[in-house]
Amino acid sequence: MASRRESGKRLAVRRTPIEKFADARRNAPAVPRSRQALRGSDRGKKIFFLFTASRPARVEEAIIERSERQLSEDSIRRETIDVQGVKTEMLTGGTGDTGFLFLHPERGMRGSETFLRKLAATGHVIAPHHPGYRLDAPDHFKSVDDLSYFYLDLMDALDLRNMTLIGASLGGWLAMEIASKNTARMSSLCLLSPAGVKTSDRTSRDIVDIFSLDAESAEAMSFHDPNRFATGIDTSDDMELELVARAREASARYAWLPYMHNPKLSHRLHRIDIPTFIIWGNDDRMAPPSVGHALARRLPRGEFYVLDSCGHYPHIEFAETVAAQISKWREQHVKSAPDAVKGAA
Amino acid sequence: MRVFYFTEQAYPDAWSAPDQSLRITLPNRHCDPRVAHELYKRYHDEWVVADKLGYHIMINEHHSTPTCLSVSSNISLAILARITQKARLLALGVPLANRVDPLRVAEELSMIDVISGGRLEMGFVRGVPYEASAAVNSPIRMMDRLWEAHDLILKAMTTHDGPFPFEGEFFNYRNVNVWPRPLQQPHPPVWITASSARSMAATAERGYVAATFLTGYATKPLFDAYRDAWRKKHDGEAPADRLAYLGMCAIGKTEAEARRRAAHCLETIASNTRIAPAFRNPPGYATIADNVRFMKSGSVQRPSATKSGRFVNLGAATIDDLIDAGVVFCGTPGQVLEQIGDFHHAVGAFDNLLMMIQCAALSHEETIDSMNLFAEGVMPHLDGLASAMHEQPVKRSVAAG
């Protein structure tokens, strides 16, 4: 598949409604966000609000391929994106400016789709596969620190502003790595039982070693109610098998040693100066809620919330509840001056 | 043909608990260090006998397991360097992809080569999959790490004009200047283990000895991959001394005695599958495509080809299956010679036979008896086998044009 960069020509992709609208808006004067938000009745008419006037052309350049295939009736679709030469695929859904950037956990995107659909009902969400989880990562990508620079570049390339960064488990670790470097494009942070910061002594682990568990045991330990949520693998579906294999390999690439944490991150938490909502399952058998409690105390604006009857992946076991909580959190903490992005064009 | 005597230096007492994984997780309270002490002494004594009988000696290492008490090839080699006189000393090998400090490997191997009077054969291996979990390094891109460590070691051994820096992707050194330098010039022979056509070809291109372990009659396509790659890269045919096969040997004065001894071979092969499922196939060890195939078939192990064209699953094989597969050579000296001859004929010329004669709980007396039987009844005839093979036109799997 030739990228636009290689061919110098745009791929012949049918324009989606959101793009047509973006085209129409491109030359129009920017409407202040506060006024856009007031025109809620327009939502029924499927009009999409975009900051296209101020959005630079490179945003569109980063997206090199779009899938017209609808992944669900709720309009989650796939896009292939090229950020500084690193390609990955992302799921997108919802309307308006990107409100949510979701960083998937070590299991990959598997199981997160329902949550993304629920979230998309409240705002535009993008959920990239981390490099390696869907397409090959460059050889020099070896740590979550490396991934964090990929996402800083991605946020620049898509000119994301005022968005809520959400990360689950390994994705939560990644979210903290990103936020510890630069929070200018974010208004708030949501961490779902995040890895990344070690709280225990040197002969203990905060998180169960998934690489010492067989797949079935790891799946069973991940949920309060594995009978309802543990996802069996469909061995007739080669793509699903590939995603499972890739998730395991990519997680080992980023989190093998030190296992699921970066010893330096705990010394950088003071830099995460945005409101941070930490959600943890009370029955998390992969990492106990005490880890989250300790972490919340160390984050400058951390708030800790424990979900009952919930395991390690709250957004999978309680997709609707968690999406609603995050949406509410976002509304409470949207910055008053959304365009004031330091360093953004 | 050169025969290398091999034992894994097992601690068989700890194998009795049938449901225990024998790798990574077996607590070391099952190890009585006084028993281990006696075992080491015994294995060292057997090496001295092997040296006197004309064998060369192969050493390996494993970690967190009672199947192999050698935790460092280099420590075993260092002992061998002084207690043996003539045997070539083969490490097969040093698990380079798991080594944190390959410069230290270069220093130790150089020292062993000098102490042994230039008898070192320097084998580098990637490391078995399940030990990735006990190693510091991750199982991602192990071959890339192996080759970078190899590059450093070879450069360290062949640089004689003072320190150089090494600033690689995986390893960084400020001043590399190995003392002593190896006795064999420019460096001891390099061996690599290979289980895929791709790694066979990579080894052939570098001109190193390629060894396969227990691949039986599936060895032919691997050796052919080596030969093909050699033809493309170098002039002429691959020399037979660049190919090596490791098989097990259960030998006795009678067939019945040999078959009793073969029970230890079966136990050893079964031990290879006594690994908790989580450790069998660590992430990154196999390709994504292979992992998809494993998940579809539900098994990491490929069945092994046999002489008669059957496929057998090694984990559930009988001794007859293993003989048919060319994994175990079993019987009287005459029978063993015939089986090796058949195998040699099938896979093509190779000059290095790595013989696991002692395994599991085969006793000291039985081991010495087996070594003698093989040395008297098999070894003297192997050179004839090899030269008979060489006189025949080399059969090519692919027309070289």
Side-chain angles (χ1 to χ4, degrees), chain A residues 185-236:
Chain A
R185 291 185 178 278
M186 311 162 196
S187 56
S188 59
L189 189 60
C190 287
L191 307 172
L192 311 169
S193 25
V197 175
K198 183 172 173 62
T199 64
S200 57
D201 67 69
R202 66 186 182 184
T203 57
S204 313
R205 281 191 193 98
D206 286 339
I207 303 174
V208 169
D209 181 7
I210 55 169
F211 302 118
S212 294
L213 290 177
D214 59 87
E216 292 78 18
S217 310
E219 193 73 0
M221 278 184 85
S222 297
F223 298 97
H224 167 74
D225 186 354
N227 293 329
R228 279 181 63 204
F229 295 100
T231 320
I233 298 168
D234 178 0
T235 52
S236 68

Side-chain angles (χ1 to χ4, degrees), chain A residues 31-289:
Chain A
V31 180
R33 173 180 285 256
S34 53
R35 280 180 50 201
Q36 286 192 355
L38 290 172
R39 303 199 314 204
S41 58
D42 285 341
R43 282 178 189 271
K45 297 173 193 166
K46 295 207 173 180
I47 292 176
F48 304 85
F49 302 120
L50 285 169
F51 269 102
T52 46
S54 59
R55 188 171 288 224
R58 61 193 159 91
V59 173
E60 286 298 302
E61 249 167 49
I63 299 166
I64 58 172
E65 192 199 332
R66 283 203 164 129
S67 158
E68 289 298 300
R69 194 158 75 88
Q70 305 281 293
L71 289 190
S72 77
E73 50 204 27
D74 296 331
S75 269
I76 297 280
R77 57 178 193 173
R78 291 189 306 197
E79 293 178 351
T80 304
I81 182 167
D82 181 325
V83 177
Q84 300 293 335
V86 181
K87 288 195 188 73
T88 195
E89 195 177 278
M90 61 184 193
L91 304 184
T92 70
T95 61
D97 273 347
T98 298
F100 305 103
L101 170 55
F102 174 71
L103 305 173
H104 64 72
E106 51 285 342
R107 60 189 279 118
M109 207 70 81
R110 242 161 46 93
S112 297
E113 296 86 350
T114 305
F115 166 73
L116 291 174
R117 277 198 291 274
K118 301 288 179 198
L119 203 59
T122 75
H124 189 242
V125 55
I126 63 175
H129 293 265
H130 312 323
Y133 285 81
R134 173 70 186 88
L135 302 174
D136 289 345
D139 276 352
H140 68 275
F141 273 41
K142 294 175 181 180
S143 63
V144 172
D145 180 62
D146 293 326
L147 275 184
S148 73
Y149 284 99
F150 168 81
Y151 277 101
L152 289 166
D153 286 343
L154 179 142
M155 290 190 289
D156 285 347
L158 297 180
D159 194 28
L160 304 183
R161 295 170 185 225
N162 194 16
M163 52 89 190
T164 298
L165 185 62
I166 308 161
S169 196
L170 177 138
W173 170 12
L174 175 55
M176 284 190 280
E177 293 270 5
I178 298 165
S180 72
K181 287 163 182 123
N182 193 339
T183 54
R185 291 185 178 278
M186 311 162 196
S187 56
S188 59
L189 189 60
C190 287
L191 307 172
L192 311 169
S193 25
V197 175
K198 183 172 173 62
T199 64
S200 57
D201 67 69
R202 66 186 182 184
T203 57
S204 313
R205 281 191 193 98
D206 286 339
I207 303 174
V208 169
D209 181 7
I210 55 169
F211 302 118
S212 294
L213 290 177
D214 59 87
E216 292 78 18
S217 310
E219 193 73 0
M221 278 184 85
S222 297
F223 298 97
H224 167 74
D225 186 354
N227 293 329
R228 279 181 63 204
F229 295 100
T231 320
I233 298 168
D234 178 0
T235 52
S236 68
D237 183 345
D238 278 18
M239 176 51 79
E240 185 176 337
L241 293 176
E242 181 182 326
L243 290 176
V244 169
R246 277 184 175 276
R248 191 159 173 262
E249 178 175 317
S251 297
R253 172 190 280 266
Y254 298 123
W256 182 267
L257 206 75
Y259 177 67
M260 284 288 177
H261 75 283
N262 174 2
K264 301 203 170 177
L265 181 57
S266 64
H267 303 288
R268 298 170 181 166
L269 295 178
H270 64 276
R271 295 179 49 83
I272 303 178
D273 54 3
I274 49 174
T276 306
F277 192 34
I278 301 177
I279 301 176
W280 218 285
N282 73 329
D283 187 30
D284 187 338
R285 286 171 291 148
M286 299 299 279

